[in-house]
Amino acid sequence: MSEPRESSESRESRESREFDVIVIGAGPTGENVADRTAAAGLRTAIVESELVGGDCSYWACIPSKALLRPPAALAAARAVAGARQAAGGRLDVAAVLARRNGFVSDWQDDGQVSWLESAGIELIRGHGRLAGERRVTVAAPDGATVELTATHAVAVCTGSAAAVPGLPGVAEARPWTPREATAARKAPDRLAIVGGGVVGAEMAAAWSALGSKVTLLMRGERPLPRMEAFAGDLVAEGLAARGVDVRPGASVAELRRAHATGPVTLTLGGGETLEADEVLFATGRKPRTEDMGLETVGLRPGSWLDVDETLRVRGVDGGWLYCAGDTNRRALLTHQGKYQARVAGAAIVARAAGGPIDDRPWGEHAATADTVGAPQVVFTEPEAASVGLTAQEAERSGRRVRAVDYDLGNVAGAALFSDDYRGKARIVVDLDREVLVGATFVGPQAGDLLHAATIAVTGEVPIARLWHAVPCFPTVSEIWLRLLETLRG
């Protein structure tokens, strides 16, 4: 029997194209992989099913910080006598939201698309799926199918999505995820936030400042459980002082929303009920790999992708598949995804040219910082910033360490910055190697202190040399001198 002929309509709806590199996902990570490979002269295509720029640009990092900055600026003015008297008004919520809209370009990606064009990267819109070795199929918005082949590499940079637990009533309740929380057009009167991690802590600070009555429900004892315990304690105190109802040891058993526009009733683990106008689930992330064709290359759909130090996916024959960003679960941070993208891009270019690969720790083709010096700033109340290991993590790793603490408010620069500056700093010292392996700062604008710590940790700067890095007086950076003095005793 002869094979059925493909109709002319079907033939016209299929297009086959070849590139050197295909990147699936045009968020910051994918853009950086594509930028590196295109700049090296490799023909590069990038596939995106939503907005070019990804979650960070439109629903995460940028809009959340745009919401958080006006309240922080007002709080900073009110913390200083003289300025306090001039800062007695209330936030203009409409102006804050309009400013947020400006930073996300009203959820239009024209500017990002123009940048791709200027970099020589071809954008192919649609849902991309792996279709075997070095092959990607794209279901375009108009229904057409584009079949792509890569001569050198395919990079999966699809990121992660909010993980909402399958609780009774959750579908009917239509809870917010971080996307709705950062894109909301008005402040809900009552907002319940489930989860005390980064998103929960930041959104509690943002929406409470914008007029919502916020209840923060956490399973654990304190917010930010991955940081030093004192960081979570100070953030819990800071949020409570701003009017947030912080509830540790709280879990949600059920949700109910009787009417589409009505309130949500949350039944908590102990049987207590709580009513809110909106509910935000900030309960973790899952990889965006469910419908990506992973099964065509021997991987499990919906799984995190395991990669080596050059970001090449393990378990795939031929070494052509890479994964950078959230999807590999090494460090779910935008800046680390961009770092991985730079490493992956360099590795792809080197292998395409038949050159050597330096995947030794800190080599050009090794993403070592993911596990040694990944920094993070949480823009909550107050700011919390950390890099490297906590004291507990360092001890569990078998190192002989000492944690050195100092009250940030006792530094002259902090006292000048705010009349009632409250904060704390800690460095974690490897006593055998005499270098820092971790640092944490909590307090107003503590994030500005972090990069110095990141350099000290990733550069393995000896403690003896840090003594010669003189901080300016009177700045908050003098905390470095106070920490070293405390270490010396």
Side-chain angles (χ1 to χ4, degrees):
M1 180 184 294
S2 62
E3 291 292 325
R5 291 187 176 182
E6 189 176 27
S7 70
S8 60
E9 180 182 353
S10 177
R11 287 197 301 271
E12 291 172 357
S13 67
R14 286 183 175 273
E15 178 184 2
S16 297
R17 305 186 62 190
E18 184 177 271
F19 294 88
D20 293 321
V21 179
I22 301 167
V23 180
I24 307 176
T29 300
E31 287 178 322
N32 273 269
V33 173
D35 186 36
R36 286 292 191 268
T37 58
L42 298 178
R43 292 168 300 142
T44 301
I46 195 164
V47 180
E48 178 54 58
S49 61
E50 296 187 298
L51 296 178
V52 174
D55 262 30
C56 177
S57 298
Y58 303 101
W59 300 288
C61 315
I62 297 300
S64 64
K65 280 41 177 193
L67 292 174
L68 285 157
R69 179 55 193 154
L74 184 59
R78 289 175 174 172
V80 181
R84 182 182 305 118
Q85 288 73 15
R90 301 177 62 182
L91 282 171
D92 185 329
V93 176
V96 172
L97 297 179
R99 183 173 185 266
R100 183 270 319 269
N101 295 351
F103 272 99
V104 300
S105 302
D106 288 314
W107 292 275
Q108 301 293 319
D109 63 2
D110 297 357
Q112 301 267 20
V113 172
S114 294
W115 176 81
L116 287 180
E117 293 171 352
S118 70
I121 302 163
E122 181 156 349
L123 171 63
I124 300 175
R125 290 198 185 269
H127 178 67
R129 299 181 81 255
L130 297 172
E133 185 174 349
R134 292 184 172 85
R135 292 170 53 213
V136 175
T137 60
V138 182
D142 63 2
T145 298
V146 183
E147 297 178 343
L148 308 177
T149 303
T151 58
H152 292 300
V154 175
V156 175
C157 304
T158 50
S160 62
V164 178
L167 297 172
V170 71
E172 294 77 11
R174 303 184 313 283
W176 280 3
T177 68
R179 283 195 169 197
E180 288 78 24
T182 57
R185 301 290 183 172
K186 65 176 183 178
D189 291 336
R190 300 165 299 176
L191 174 63
I193 299 177
V194 184
V198 174
V199 172
E202 289 192 343
M203 290 297 94
W207 288 109
S208 62
L210 294 174
S212 298
K213 173 60 180 175
V214 175
T215 303
L216 181 62
L217 305 168
M218 310 172 295
R219 286 183 177 273
E221 298 179 22
R222 56 181 64 85
L224 308 182
R226 295 183 181 274
M227 285 189 168
E228 299 279 10
F230 72 81
D233 290 337
L234 285 169
V235 167
E237 293 172 11
L239 290 174
R242 294 297 176 87
V244 176
D245 181 3
V246 180
R247 300 193 190 183
S251 62
V252 178
E254 184 180 358
L255 298 95
R256 188 175 72 256
R257 192 169 212 159
H259 304 289
T261 58
V264 181
T265 300
L266 296 83
T267 301
L268 306 185
E272 178 188 357
T273 60
L274 170 70
E275 192 173 83
D277 296 291
E278 298 292 350
V279 179
L280 163 62
F281 274 94
T283 47
R285 309 288 293 178
K286 61 182 180 181
R288 296 183 64 184
T289 60
E290 188 65 45
D291 184 23
M292 270 211 61
L294 293 185
E295 68 280 0
T296 68
V297 295
L299 301 175
R300 181 171 58 84
S303 64
W304 302 95
L305 300 186
D306 182 30
V307 297
D308 64 17
E309 285 301 295
T310 69
L311 289 311
R312 194 158 57 173
V313 179
R314 291 189 174 102
V316 177
D317 293 338
W320 55 273
L321 185 62
Y322 291 75
C323 175
D326 282 12
T327 318
N328 62 39
R329 210 180 191 177
R330 287 170 64 99
L332 276 68
L333 299 160
T334 295
H335 45 274
Q336 291 304 123
K338 293 164 70 174
Y339 162 71
Q340 292 173 20
R342 296 191 291 271
V343 172
I348 291 169
V349 170
R351 288 184 172 122
I357 293 294
D358 183 3
D359 59 358
R360 298 169 298 174
W362 306 114
E364 181 183 0
H365 309 117
T368 312
D370 284 342
T371 54
V372 176
Q376 181 173 28
V377 179
V378 186
F379 295 82
T380 184
E381 178 53 45
E383 281 186 10
S386 67
V387 65
L389 303 174
T390 64
Q392 188 177 56
E393 288 169 341
E395 289 170 355
R396 282 202 302 260
S397 72
R399 293 174 172 85
R400 191 170 67 92
V401 298
R402 179 182 169 190
V404 180
D405 297 343
Y406 199 85
D407 186 337
L408 261 172
N410 288 337
V411 176
L416 289 165
F417 181 85
S418 171
D419 292 345
D420 187 25
Y421 192 107
R422 296 191 68 244
K424 184 175 179 178
R426 168 175 289 180
I427 55 174
V428 182
V429 182
D430 184 321
L431 296 174
D432 295 319
R433 297 169 56 225
E434 296 189 338
V435 296
L436 300 189
V437 293
T440 300
F441 305 95
V442 184
Q445 290 196 290
D448 291 344
L449 298 169
L450 190 62
H451 196 56
T454 303
I455 293 170
V457 171
T458 59
E460 299 178 331
V461 181
I463 295 294
R465 179 58 61 87
L466 285 177
W467 275 102
H468 296 281
V470 182
C472 291
F473 178 85
T475 67
V476 185
S477 293
E478 271 202 306
I479 186 62
W480 282 97
L481 175 58
R482 302 296 170 237
L483 287 166
L484 294 174
E485 288 174 337
T486 305
L487 173 64
R488 182 180 63 182

